[in-house]
Amino acid sequence: MRISRRILATAATAAVLLPLSACGSGSGDSSSSDSSGKVQGDISFQTWNLRANFKSYFEGLIADFEKKYPGTHVKWIDQPAEGYADKISADAAAGTLPDVVNVSPDLAAPLAKAGLALDLDKDKAAAKYKSEYLPGAWAGNEIPGLPGTYAFPWYLNTGPLFYNKALFKEAGLNADQPPKTYAALFTDALQIAHKTDGKVATLANVPTIEDFGRYGVELMNKQGTAFAFNDAKGVELLTKYKQLFDAKALDPQALTATPESSGQKFLTGAVAMNPGSALDLHNFKTQAPTLYKNIGITDQITNTGHVNMYVMGLLVNSRSKEKPAAVAFAHFITDAQNQMSFAKKVAIFPSTAGSLEDPYFTKEDGTDETRVRVAAAKSLKTAVNYTPVLFSDQMKTALRNEVAKALQGKESPKAALDNAVKACNQLLQQG
């Protein structure tokens, strides 16, 4: 797991290419045994770039687990962020995959398909813990095309949407009623662009696969075998973005925007809305006091009523020789008490049911951190992971390229999405 400014925003970008013939049947069948039984023996636990900042925390957790279950021993392995996906792939191929592995959903998918990830829904000892987690978090570790769930939900993240109240007021909009749906967003964005003669855009980024999900588009077919975001609703969304782009309600440089460049646009008042974090709010306070005084915080725009969340999990190796201990340890790390403890050390959110009701996530104390934390925690209670588990970096690039063609008028929105879906489906078959 990467702990950084964009915690989890890029954690699921690495792709794992497993030689399935070397790993297993490829059927996703991990029903070889039931992990019920005495919790004992030696297990290995692999994390993703955590030792440098959280060494004492995890050593303490391991000691507590070993004390709770005499006769167990946990070997902690921490891998660097660089090459983490390749390391998992190599271990899977060599049969040396650790007993418990820190994964994002896209890293779990090929392991599940290769039969190396324990299906928690099928395993009696693991399934009993399902009710302890938020439904959306548990579902975040489902794999399209396979029945079951393949990792314990660990921590979650999301971010609020910031908006400039002064720009809304100047455009004749109610600054205390920011848009909640895409229809309202498009209406407000066009009004802001019109009132400022195109000098102020509302958005600085082109639509991503998450936007299509939040718009209500069915991203894949029910079988999880093909992408489907080129349906009528998907075309409708891209057509609306084309209208924004032509009216300069979408920043002209959105085609090449980065999170940093979008943030700078918002900082200088060239853009009226932008996603962010507590760190951004602090920067507004120090670098743009006028903006800070006029800052509004709202939920992500959605037609579904559910914001997007990023999910991290702990996968149990289905071939672990000490499966009862591996399941018990994965649950121990992700139980409510330990997730809450971890959440207070770094700006993430627990995936356990009821944890977000804790005053830590519901009470503001006047600081920037709590303003954002409370807003994000509230939205997470019903959030979902809109990024398809099988949507790779190459697919993201294919979609972005076709969206750019549509916005520039080189292709119709329908043709652009047809081409994007075709490219993504070809990549899906190759994977």
Side-chain angles (χ1 to χ4, degrees):
M1 134 183 122
R2 298 183 180 94
I3 299 295
S4 66
R5 178 184 176 188
R6 297 290 177 185
I7 304 165
L8 270 177
T10 58
T13 58
V16 179
L17 300 178
L18 290 174
L20 299 184
S21 60
C23 299
S25 65
S27 66
D29 182 7
S30 57
S31 59
S32 57
S33 68
D34 180 0
S35 65
S36 299
K38 185 175 181 180
V39 177
Q40 61 184 3
D42 296 350
I43 60 172
S44 52
F45 166 49
Q46 179 170 290
T47 53
W48 187 352
N49 195 31
L50 287 175
R51 188 180 296 273
N53 295 321
F54 304 103
K55 182 174 182 290
S56 60
Y57 172 76
F58 282 98
E59 287 180 342
L61 277 183
I62 290 170
D64 290 343
F65 177 79
E66 292 174 347
K67 182 179 180 180
K68 181 177 181 179
Y69 296 101
T72 61
H73 175 72
V74 180
K75 178 184 178 181
W76 179 24
I77 305 164
D78 187 61
Q79 299 291 350
E82 189 70 26
Y84 186 71
D86 293 334
K87 176 60 177 173
I88 291 179
S89 178
D91 283 341
T96 57
L97 191 71
D99 298 282
V100 179
V101 187
N102 179 186
V103 292
S104 51
D106 64 309
L107 298 183
L111 297 173
K113 290 186 175 182
L116 291 176
L118 185 69
D119 180 352
L120 306 186
D121 289 335
K122 185 178 292 185
D123 185 85
K124 293 180 180 178
K128 67 183 180 183
Y129 299 123
K130 181 176 180 177
S131 62
E132 295 183 16
Y133 301 89
L134 293 170
W138 189 268
N141 289 290
E142 296 174 351
I143 309 299
L146 294 178
T149 302
Y150 294 91
F152 280 96
W154 194 0
Y155 64 85
L156 311 174
N157 217 333
T158 191
L161 191 62
F162 293 125
Y163 67 100
N164 189 323
K165 289 185 175 183
L167 294 179
F168 271 68
K169 290 177 182 178
E170 290 170 9
L173 298 171
N174 187 337
D176 294 322
Q177 294 183 4
K180 300 292 185 181
T181 66
Y182 278 92
L185 171 66
F186 298 145
T187 298
D188 288 356
L190 290 173
Q191 182 165 331
I192 290 173
H194 175 70
K195 291 290 186 179
T196 62
D197 294 324
K199 294 179 181 179
V200 176
T202 297
L203 302 175
N205 295 284
V206 299
T208 64
I209 195 67
E210 295 169 9
D211 287 296
F212 284 89
R214 286 191 293 252
Y215 195 72
V217 178
E218 290 293 332
L219 304 179
M220 296 191 78
N221 63 17
K222 300 298 183 182
Q223 297 74 33
T225 57
F227 292 98
F229 52 84
N230 59 334
D231 64 5
K233 191 174 287 290
V235 174
E236 179 180 273
L237 175 64
L238 187 51
T239 300
K240 293 293 186 181
Y241 264 87
K242 168 63 172 166
Q243 294 172 357
L244 296 186
F245 189 72
D246 290 344
K248 295 185 179 180
L250 175 64
D251 187 75
Q253 296 177 340
L255 302 181
T256 57
T258 65
E260 290 72 25
S261 66
S262 299
Q264 187 61 30
K265 290 271 187 179
F266 183 68
L267 193 72
T268 59
V271 172
M273 304 189 83
N274 201 57
S277 68
L279 179 58
D280 293 308
L281 195 59
H282 177 72
N283 288 339
F284 301 154
K285 186 175 183 179
T286 57
Q287 298 177 27
T290 301
L291 170 63
Y292 180 76
K293 292 178 181 178
N294 290 286
I295 204 71
I297 303 175
T298 188
D299 290 340
Q300 300 168 22
I301 303 296
T302 171
N303 286 351
T304 65
H306 304 283
V307 304
N308 184 67
M309 69 176 171
Y310 302 97
V311 184
M312 192 61 74
L314 291 183
L315 173 149
V316 175
N317 185 342
S318 65
R319 300 182 183 178
S320 170
K321 294 180 180 179
E322 301 291 351
K323 204 171 296 180
V327 168
F329 183 73
H331 171 254
F332 182 79
I333 291 289
T334 62
D335 70 16
Q337 178 179 337
N338 288 322
Q339 285 211 49
M340 178 62 74
S341 175
F342 195 39
K344 291 183 178 180
K345 294 181 178 297
V346 63
I348 48 87
F349 299 87
S351 62
T352 41
S355 295
L356 296 178
E357 303 295 340
D358 187 278
Y360 184 73
F361 297 111
T362 60
K363 303 295 184 182
E364 293 187 26
D365 61 8
T367 64
D368 295 342
E369 289 75 16
T370 59
R371 290 180 67 189
V372 176
R373 183 168 68 228
V374 169
K378 182 180 179 180
S379 68
L380 271 172
K381 294 174 185 177
T382 58
V384 298
N385 180 13
Y386 285 112
T387 303
V389 172
L390 303 177
F391 203 71
S392 68
D393 273 358
Q394 288 176 295
M395 295 173 190
K396 292 174 185 177
T397 299
L399 174 59
R400 187 178 182 89
N401 289 343
E402 292 299 330
V403 165
K405 293 177 183 178
L407 296 181
Q408 293 170 324
K410 297 178 179 179
E411 294 177 349
S412 69
K414 175 67 168 125
L417 290 184
D418 284 346
N419 290 335
V421 165
K422 181 179 179 180
C424 291
N425 283 338
Q426 288 176 341
L427 289 167
L428 184 64
Q429 293 304 315
Q430 293 172 10

